[in-house]
Amino acid sequence: MERIVLGIDPGLANTGWGVMMQRGSSLSCLAYGCVSTPASHDISVRLMKIHDQIGAVISKFSPQCLGIETIFFDRNVTAAFGTGQARGAALVACAKGGLKVGEFTPSQIKMAVVGEGNAEKRQVQYMVQQILGLKDAPRPDHAADALAAAICYV
């Protein structure tokens, strides 16, 4: 089986994305990055930027499927609302691209990549680097988390 998988780590300030190729059991990284939006901009402009830039990634790489992190409600409900809005903007772009969606909790993603649901960010970055055979750990950590979501999808 050969397919291109997109991963997204949603966030209003920073939405990480990563694209990888799956050929059978072999995984390789095609590209990764982060859509950053300044808090000084209107929410509608920030959401449009996330939508448009994720749409541009989809247009460039033509992924068939998506692994995306679900919203984690800790104590900061305000941040969770922003994350949910960013996630919605990204999901609309993915729906326009016809991607099949897999949604995963942060602990499911960490378990798939590190083998421990409470793994630290640096452990996730290291394992993503190892699994995808990258020279360096993906940065920023939002991009590493997006690649981890794509790995979890697979």
Side-chain angles (χ1 to χ4, degrees):
M1 171 196 314
E2 184 174 300
R3 64 182 170 180
I4 298 173
V5 183
L6 173 64
I8 294 178
D9 176 38
L12 187 55
N14 296 290
T15 292
W17 60 269
V19 183
M20 64 177 211
M21 169 68 76
Q22 176 190 12
R23 287 189 178 101
S25 61
S26 174
L27 304 176
S28 60
C29 180
L30 300 179
Y32 59 85
C34 189
V35 180
S36 296
T37 67
S40 60
H41 291 179
D42 288 341
I43 185 73
S44 58
V45 173
R46 296 174 80 186
L47 295 173
M48 183 174 63
K49 182 177 181 183
I50 293 166
H51 171 272
D52 292 350
Q53 289 193 10
I54 294 299
V57 169
I58 293 167
S59 293
K60 182 173 183 176
F61 294 100
S62 301
Q64 289 83 39
C65 45
L66 164 74
I68 188 167
E69 190 173 299
T70 59
I71 299 171
F72 175 68
F73 283 92
D74 193 15
R75 292 183 180 89
N76 192 343
V77 175
T78 304
F81 281 124
T83 299
Q85 290 173 312
R87 190 172 181 276
L91 282 169
V92 169
C94 293
K96 285 182 178 178
L99 279 66
K100 182 178 177 194
V101 177
E103 301 177 276
F104 308 100
T105 66
S107 61
Q108 285 176 309
I109 293 169
K110 290 174 183 179
M111 183 64 78
V113 175
V114 179
E116 170 58 50
N118 294 321
E120 296 176 19
K121 287 222 176 256
R122 63 178 177 73
Q123 292 173 295
V124 173
Q125 284 178 300
Y126 175 79
M127 287 308 298
V128 166
Q129 177 187 358
Q130 298 305 305
I131 291 167
L132 298 177
L134 299 170
K135 182 180 175 196
D136 298 307
R139 296 197 192 329
D141 59 351
H142 306 290
D145 289 348
L147 286 168
I151 293 167
C152 184
Y153 183 95
V154 171

